[in-house]
Amino acid sequence: MAEELNQVEVKSFEVGDKVIGQVRKVEEKQVLVDIQGSKLDGIIPISELSSLHIEKASDAVSEGEELQLEVIKVEEEALILSKRKIDAEKAWESLEQKFENGEILEADVKDVVKGGLVVDLGVRGFVPASLVESYFVEDFSDYKGRTLTFKIVELDKEKNRLILSHRAVVEAEKEMQKRNRLEELKPGQIIEGTVQRITDFGAFVDIGGIDGLVHISQLSHEHVNKPTDVVHEGQKVQVKVLSVDRDNERISLSIKETLPGPWSNISEKAPKGSVLKGIVKRLVSYGAFVEVFPGVEGLVHISQIAHKHIGTPHEVLKEGQEVNVKVLDVNEAEQRLSLSIKELLDKEIEENHDYELPEEAKGFQLGEVIGDKLKNLGK
């Protein structure tokens, strides 16, 4: 009688029917369930428990758990059921909606396989290696078990194909961070950055998700032959924002303007009456400009070049020549330095070629100091 009742009940089920089952026993390769409203046994093979490969049934379900299931086969005394099909059906419906809306998903990495990562979103999702990060990753082994965010880049329910990208999420976040940073930046701000890349014309500095250019002319108050003489990749630097072009995402920065200028504390470095060595940088009709510190030039007026009258500074000086100078006056506020060569020379030297230059004037060649006339003495 019981057997006949079972056969009648079995005939009331068809492949594709949806049933509710409660897990009665979890075996290694299958799960036995009690089917709600039926005396029949329900069997879920391990292959029908999950869209992903699992080693044992207990990895997917536990005793007492209530499951939504689909009939995939009707046997004489039992129904063969699938949990995977129900999960997949629900998942595809949800995933299609999220794909259309461009939503970001969160899921655990279930496995690392050749060519990428596998995640479980109710259906098997695959993340190609090139779509994991925005940079090259050599070994993905430590990604297993990690929770990552993803965007769906390809979805095909018929082919059971779901391609995901974590890289797309990362790049979108970086772009948002960049736009926000651009809006925050204003000329005149002084901020910390990290040197990312060095070129012949300057250095690119990361200032929080976006790079700005420090042109070679803005690296230092001193002349810079090549940027690597001043900065190196990975170096933390203070920069001043010179300009922000939001449309073209271009930011001009300066390291130089965050540094003490060459004229800072010049009154202490070159007090009135002090003697300094310098290089003649420029000769003009009214005197000579002498660089006494990098970026600091003072004027030796033509009247302070020699005791004797000279028509032009070119008569006794030349550009690039090293000279000794005495500070006559210093004005740090106006960045002006008045210098004298004459005050380091004894007037008698210009009248008697037998005298030697004093020690503090050794930077001069005698003929260059007092002109051609002295060269001809004694001829």
Side-chain angles (χ1 to χ4, degrees):
M1 179 69 73
E3 186 177 340
E4 288 177 3
L5 288 173
N6 278 349
Q7 288 178 354
V8 170
E9 194 172 355
V10 163
K11 289 178 182 177
S12 67
F13 289 98
E14 293 182 353
V15 172
D17 285 349
K18 308 293 192 295
V19 298
I20 302 293
Q22 186 172 32
V23 178
R24 174 163 36 96
K25 186 177 181 182
V26 179
E27 298 179 350
E28 187 176 359
K29 297 300 180 182
Q30 66 178 18
V31 174
L32 303 180
V33 299
D34 293 327
I35 300 169
Q36 197 174 87
S38 172
K39 300 291 187 181
L40 291 173
D41 286 333
I43 301 172
I44 312 173
I46 191 171
S47 60
E48 293 298 326
L49 283 170
S50 172
S51 61
L52 302 181
H53 172 75
I54 56 176
E55 294 295 332
K56 53 187 185 297
S58 58
D59 290 339
V61 296
S62 56
E63 288 186 14
E65 190 174 350
E66 191 171 88
L67 307 172
Q68 287 187 308
L69 306 163
E70 181 177 323
V71 178
I72 58 173
K73 188 177 180 181
V74 179
E75 295 186 344
E76 289 187 4
E77 296 184 357
L79 298 179
I80 308 303
L81 306 168
S82 174
K83 175 179 178 292
R84 177 180 63 83
K85 281 182 172 290
I86 296 292
D87 291 344
E89 190 176 309
K90 291 179 181 177
W92 282 119
E93 186 179 336
S94 173
L95 290 169
E96 284 173 343
Q97 189 174 9
K98 286 178 167 59
F99 184 36
E100 289 174 7
N101 296 334
E103 291 183 40
I104 294 173
L105 313 173
E106 187 175 88
D108 295 338
V109 176
K110 294 296 184 181
D111 203 2
V112 176
V113 296
K114 184 178 181 181
L117 310 176
V118 174
V119 300
D120 183 11
L121 286 164
V123 295
R124 182 184 187 272
F126 181 63
V127 190
S130 61
L131 298 183
V132 176
E133 301 288 0
S134 56
Y135 52 87
F136 174 73
V137 178
E138 187 171 351
D139 182 9
F140 289 101
S141 58
D142 64 341
Y143 277 73
K144 187 172 182 178
R146 285 175 58 182
T147 301
L148 298 177
T149 49
F150 303 97
K151 286 190 90 170
I152 301 170
V153 295
E154 187 179 339
L155 184 150
D156 190 333
K157 182 180 177 180
E158 300 305 318
K159 294 181 179 178
N160 200 37
R161 181 176 174 84
L162 179 66
I163 305 299
L164 306 167
S165 173
H166 175 60
R167 174 179 173 177
V169 177
V170 172
E171 290 180 345
E173 288 173 350
K174 284 183 178 179
E175 186 60 31
M176 180 64 71
Q177 186 181 21
K178 183 189 293 185
R179 296 308 306 175
N180 291 340
R181 190 64 172 139
L182 274 170
E183 292 301 319
E184 294 170 356
L185 290 175
K186 291 179 176 59
Q189 285 179 313
I190 295 178
I191 50 183
E192 185 178 76
T194 305
V195 178
Q196 291 289 95
R197 187 163 53 94
I198 297 175
T199 67
D200 291 340
F201 54 84
F204 287 93
V205 176
D206 179 0
I207 50 174
I210 189 167
D211 289 352
L213 173 65
V214 180
H215 189 266
I216 190 170
S217 62
Q218 292 295 327
L219 287 171
S220 173
H221 289 291
E222 301 176 28
H223 174 71
V224 178
N225 290 317
K226 55 183 186 296
T228 49
D229 291 340
V230 183
V231 292
H232 59 268
E233 290 184 6
Q235 180 180 348
K236 299 286 185 184
V237 291
Q238 292 287 315
V239 292
K240 182 178 181 179
V241 179
L242 300 181
S243 65
V244 182
D245 182 346
R246 293 182 175 86
D247 294 333
N248 296 305
E249 297 184 356
R250 290 180 182 170
I251 304 165
S252 295
L253 305 171
S254 174
I255 292 175
K256 179 175 75 175
E257 293 201 16
T258 68
L259 303 173
W263 287 86
S264 296
N265 301 319
I266 194 65
S267 298
E268 297 176 13
K269 294 187 288 186
K272 186 175 179 178
S274 60
V275 176
L276 306 170
K277 278 192 180 294
I279 301 294
V280 177
K281 287 292 184 179
R282 288 178 294 140
L283 295 175
V284 293
S285 60
Y286 54 86
F289 286 94
V290 177
E291 185 180 62
V292 291
F293 297 106
V296 176
E297 291 183 8
L299 173 65
V300 180
H301 190 268
I302 191 169
S303 63
Q304 291 294 327
I305 292 177
H307 288 289
K308 74 182 189 69
H309 174 76
I310 58 174
T312 69
H314 296 80
E315 293 178 24
V316 292
L317 296 174
K318 61 183 179 182
E319 290 182 1
Q321 180 180 346
E322 186 179 88
V323 293
N324 288 338
V325 292
K326 182 177 181 179
V327 178
L328 300 180
D329 188 44
V330 56
N331 188 325
E332 188 170 323
E334 296 181 12
Q335 296 188 354
R336 280 169 37 187
L337 203 58
S338 297
L339 307 172
S340 174
I341 293 173
K342 180 176 75 175
E343 290 207 7
L344 298 179
L345 302 175
D346 190 325
K347 187 175 181 181
E348 292 183 68
I349 294 178
E350 296 180 30
E351 298 172 354
N352 187 343
H353 69 284
D354 291 329
Y355 285 171
E356 291 184 1
L357 286 172
E359 187 64 30
E360 65 268 25
K362 291 292 186 181
F364 300 99
Q365 292 183 17
L366 187 59
E368 291 173 337
V369 174
I370 59 176
D372 293 336
K373 182 178 178 182
L374 188 58
K375 292 180 182 177
N376 297 322
L377 290 176
K379 286 186 178 180

